[in-house]
Amino acid sequence: MSTKRVRLVKLNNFPLFSTISWLGMLALYLPLMVVIFYSFNSNRFVQIWHGFSVKWYFDVLDNTDISRALTNSLTVAAAATVISTVLAIMATLGMLRLGRAGSAIAWGLIGAPLIIPEIVLAIGTLSVFLMIKIPLGFTALVLAHTAFCIPFAMLPIRARLQSLDTSPFEAASDLGANEWKIFRHITMPLLAPGILSGALLAFAISIDDFIMSFFLAGPGATTLPVYIFGMIRSNLTPAINALSTMLLVFSGVMLSLSFMLNRVRR
């Protein structure tokens, strides 16, 4: 029986592929570079460069309103991360007992927030909360963030579970271990990198969220992205660039840690 050798398509051979790629990268990262550059502007006016200064970073650190908004964001993100990660673990393990068709349907329903526009989710969530009399504020934010963080937490956990070798589970079962012992001594240790990766990803998504938080944040529950939006509308200074740069670095660190943990192999 003859076998056909598959030839890989080299994208570099397509006309203008490199040029389009560089233009795409420029469109993605040039705005971020501009934000970072002007965060060191000594002038009060954002886009008029007068010299290098880090005073806006100290202004951000000394601002009590920003500290309060950051505390709100961290509180909501921490609560949503813990709850969504636990639910993601349960959902991922529960999908193992479903057939291929059932698992595909379950993942399609759980992963809907990944493809549905967030503005639609925010309007729908706000309508439901108002209908069932859930007050806007921390409770509404934690519930909403938990709901849309579950699929993000599931992605690394599901990928980790699919890559595991089944022989340790079969050996433990043959030696008489019950489901709880298998889960505690084998499943959880092997899934730990995926769980931590999913938790970090959910935390980064939650703390960066603006649209859902904008709709559901009540008095005293203003999150950091919502506060930044208010600063843009009222007083545009390089302090906004400095705060955005700090948030960008924090999110980048969280996502990098999530990526590295997801690549851990045992």
Side-chain angles (χ1 to χ4, degrees):
M1 183 177 63
S2 62
T3 58
K4 293 184 178 181
R5 193 172 182 179
V6 179
R7 294 183 61 187
L8 298 178
V9 177
K10 294 183 178 181
L11 295 178
N12 290 332
N13 294 334
F14 284 90
L16 300 179
F17 175 79
S18 298
T19 303
I20 295 174
S21 299
W22 281 109
L23 288 175
M25 295 288 288
L26 188 66
L28 284 173
Y29 291 104
L30 181 60
L32 299 180
M33 295 299 102
V34 170
V35 169
I36 295 173
F37 177 76
Y38 279 104
S39 69
F40 297 101
N41 186 11
S42 62
N43 191 11
R44 182 174 180 82
F45 298 98
V46 176
Q47 294 182 346
I48 301 177
W49 179 263
H50 272 194
F52 180 87
S53 175
V54 295
K55 67 176 183 178
W56 300 109
Y57 286 89
F58 289 102
D59 286 350
V60 168
L61 296 175
D62 292 336
N63 191 313
T64 56
D65 292 332
I66 292 177
S67 299
R68 191 178 301 112
L70 176 60
T71 302
N72 293 340
S73 288
L74 292 174
T75 302
V76 172
T81 297
V82 172
I83 301 172
S84 63
T85 303
V86 172
L87 293 176
I89 296 171
M90 296 170 61
T92 304
L93 296 176
M95 288 168 59
L96 290 177
R97 298 184 178 273
L98 300 175
R100 179 173 296 182
S103 178
I105 294 173
W107 172 244
L109 294 174
I110 296 173
L114 297 173
I115 57 175
I116 296 177
E118 190 178 355
I119 184 69
V120 176
L121 288 175
I123 294 173
T125 304
L126 176 62
S127 301
V128 171
F129 285 177
L130 293 177
M131 183 176 62
I132 60 179
K133 302 295 190 292
I134 293 180
L136 301 183
F138 282 107
T139 302
L141 285 173
V142 170
L143 291 175
H145 281 222
T146 298
F148 74 75
C149 281
I150 290 176
F152 290 98
M154 277 186 67
L155 287 172
I157 299 173
R158 190 164 179 253
R160 180 76 178 182
L161 187 62
Q162 290 176 342
S163 66
L164 293 181
D165 186 9
T166 59
S167 56
F169 303 94
E170 295 172 355
S173 180
D174 292 340
L175 292 173
N178 57 31
E179 291 188 359
W180 169 246
K181 287 185 177 181
I182 293 175
F183 175 77
R184 186 160 59 96
H185 295 290
I186 298 178
T187 306
M188 286 300 293
L190 291 177
L191 285 181
I195 293 172
L196 291 175
S197 176
L200 289 173
L201 183 59
F203 188 83
I205 294 297
S206 176
I207 205 168
D208 285 345
D209 177 76
F210 167 73
I211 298 178
M212 191 73 74
S213 301
F214 181 77
F215 276 79
L216 301 177
T222 301
T223 60
L224 189 59
V226 176
Y227 184 83
I228 293 175
F229 178 73
M231 291 176 65
I232 294 175
R233 298 181 63 183
S234 60
N235 188 19
L236 191 62
T237 67
I240 299 174
N241 295 43
L243 182 56
S244 300
T245 300
M246 295 167 70
L247 187 59
L248 176 65
V249 171
F250 177 81
S251 300
V253 171
M254 291 293 102
L255 293 175
S256 298
L257 289 174
S258 174
F259 176 77
M260 289 187 291
L261 284 170
N262 199 36
R263 292 178 61 88
V264 172
R265 292 291 180 264
R266 294 199 173 195

